[in-house]
């Protein structure tokens, strides 16, 4: 992977700078994508299985002119990812996974409309959850929001990384480092890779027109993860502690960051 490095600055390649038409394309995809996550808010409750959520997401996206990006991507079998409790990400919906009171679940959705992608995920609390779980969900959202606030033109991606990691560690949580955010737009996964730990003033320069996700994966215990051998997708905390994730797709503007999909 080649980057233009000048006087210590990592400059973004031109291909990841979006023009006005590209940005509008992502906006259209984001409208459908956010509609799915709004629908999940109404459907998630004790006794619902995640296969039912997946079917509802597929129906919503296709009825609104979109394509679920996850479905068939590198063999992934479903339209959404449903990650419950100690699952960090990439949980596969199943009739066997029935939500129960006290669970926390992340639903991750990526939608293609007219060749453009929008990507976001939200946490949902199933009924009344333990205080420790509620705090993890709440603080993880704060971590993402601090990352977004640090995303400013002519500053560095390390500012975003540090804003996320510093708030996670200040609250006693660990940050998954094996996975992170990514550029998105004309493709599902593009440059840059967005870590959620780092040093301010380092990494790629953020410039207007860049679109990428900020999606901290925060664990109540250690940051180490494992991947289920039986499906090759489901990522869990190694110590089986709870994990939470929020994800927004953002655009770097002339003055700051605009959330496109949430």
């Amino acid at each position: 992977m080649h980057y233009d490095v000048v006087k210590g600055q990592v400059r973004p390649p031109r291909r990841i700078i979006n023009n006005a038409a590209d940005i509008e394309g992502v906006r259209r995809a984001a409208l459908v994508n956010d509609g799915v996550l709004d629908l999940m808010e109404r459907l998630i409750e004790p006794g619902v299985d995640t296969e039912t959520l997946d079917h509802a997401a597929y129906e919503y996206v296709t009825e609104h002119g979109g394509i679920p990006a996850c479905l068939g991507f590198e063999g992934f079998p479903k339209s959404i990812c449903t990650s419950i409790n100690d699952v960090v990400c990439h949980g596969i919906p199943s009739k066997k996974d029935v939500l129960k009171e006290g669970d926390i679940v992340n639903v991750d959705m990526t939608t293609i409309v007219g060749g453009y992608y929008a990507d976001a995920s939200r946490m949902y609390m199933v009924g009344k959850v333990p205080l420790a779980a509620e705090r993890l969900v709440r603080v993880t959202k704060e971590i993402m929001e601090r990352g977004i606030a640090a995303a400013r033109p002519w500053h560095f991606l390390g500012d975003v990384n540090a804003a996320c990691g510093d708030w996670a560690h200040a609250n006693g949580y660990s940050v998954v480092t094996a996975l992170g955010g990514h550029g998105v737009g004309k493709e599902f996964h593009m440059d840059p890779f967005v870590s959620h730990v780092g040093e301010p003033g380092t990494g790629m320069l953020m410039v207007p027109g860049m679109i990428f996700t900020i999606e901290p994966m925060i664990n109540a215990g250690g940051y180490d993860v494992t991947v289920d051998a039986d499906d090759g997708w489901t990522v869990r905390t190694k110590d089986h502690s709870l994990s939470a994730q929020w994800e927004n797709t953002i655009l770097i503007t002339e003055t700051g960051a605009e959330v496109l999909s949430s």
Side-chain angles (χ1 to χ4, degrees):
M1 191 175 296
H2 174 72
Y3 294 124
D4 181 17
V5 182
V6 179
K7 296 182 179 179
Q9 297 180 352
V10 180
R11 297 188 178 182
R14 186 175 296 275
R15 70 181 185 85
I16 69 170
I17 309 302
N18 296 276
N19 61 31
D22 297 330
I23 293 166
E24 285 308 306
V26 177
R27 286 190 206 282
R28 288 192 292 272
L31 284 174
V32 180
N33 203 66
D34 289 358
V36 173
L37 298 178
D38 291 344
L39 176 62
M40 295 297 108
E41 190 76 48
R42 300 193 294 272
L43 295 179
I44 288 175
E45 62 182 5
V48 172
D49 65 81
T50 56
E51 175 80 14
T52 295
L53 300 179
D54 182 75
H55 179 74
Y58 177 83
E59 291 295 322
Y60 184 96
V61 169
T62 54
E63 287 172 3
H64 287 79
I67 300 169
C70 288
L71 185 60
F73 177 76
E74 296 185 353
F76 192 81
K78 300 295 182 179
S79 298
I80 58 175
C81 300
T82 49
S83 303
I84 306 168
N85 296 334
D86 69 334
V87 177
V88 175
C89 61
H90 303 160
I92 300 175
S94 170
K95 278 286 185 188
K96 297 178 181 178
D97 288 334
V98 179
L99 299 176
K100 63 183 185 300
E101 186 93 8
D103 285 342
I104 59 172
V105 57
N106 176 274
V107 177
D108 192 345
M109 181 76 210
T110 305
T111 298
I112 312 167
V113 175
Y116 289 94
Y117 294 71
D119 187 5
S121 78
R122 297 180 194 169
M123 292 299 300
Y124 303 87
M125 294 183 283
V126 185
K128 185 173 177 58
V129 306
L131 287 177
E134 184 277 331
R135 181 177 182 270
L136 176 64
V137 170
R138 173 173 48 81
V139 172
T140 300
K141 189 174 185 181
E142 293 173 2
I143 291 165
M144 178 192 68
E145 291 169 344
R146 284 179 176 245
I148 294 171
R152 294 176 290 168
W154 316 116
H155 289 70
F156 294 91
L157 202 54
D159 300 350
V160 174
N161 309 152
C164 291
D166 289 353
W167 193 240
H169 297 147
N171 280 275
Y173 297 130
S174 66
V175 182
V176 174
T177 55
L179 300 152
H182 53 88
V184 66
K186 295 176 186 175
E187 301 172 25
F188 198 163
H189 298 106
M190 305 173 66
D191 291 336
F193 174 77
V194 182
S195 177
H196 300 100
V197 293
E199 295 295 327
T202 65
M204 185 177 286
L205 189 69
M206 294 180 286
V207 305
M210 289 176 66
I211 297 175
F212 54 85
T213 68
I214 297 177
E215 50 179 302
M217 288 159 259
I218 306 300
N219 297 346
Y223 67 86
D224 289 322
V225 298
T226 62
V227 180
D228 286 3
D230 59 344
D231 63 39
W233 281 102
T234 305
V235 180
R236 299 180 187 272
T237 55
K238 187 174 182 180
D239 58 10
H240 303 294
S241 62
L242 289 177
S243 186
Q245 179 191 22
W246 290 84
E247 176 183 13
N248 283 183
T249 291
I250 69 162
L251 164 71
I252 300 298
T253 69
E254 295 289 345
T255 57
E258 177 188 343
V259 174
L260 299 179
S261 186
S262 60

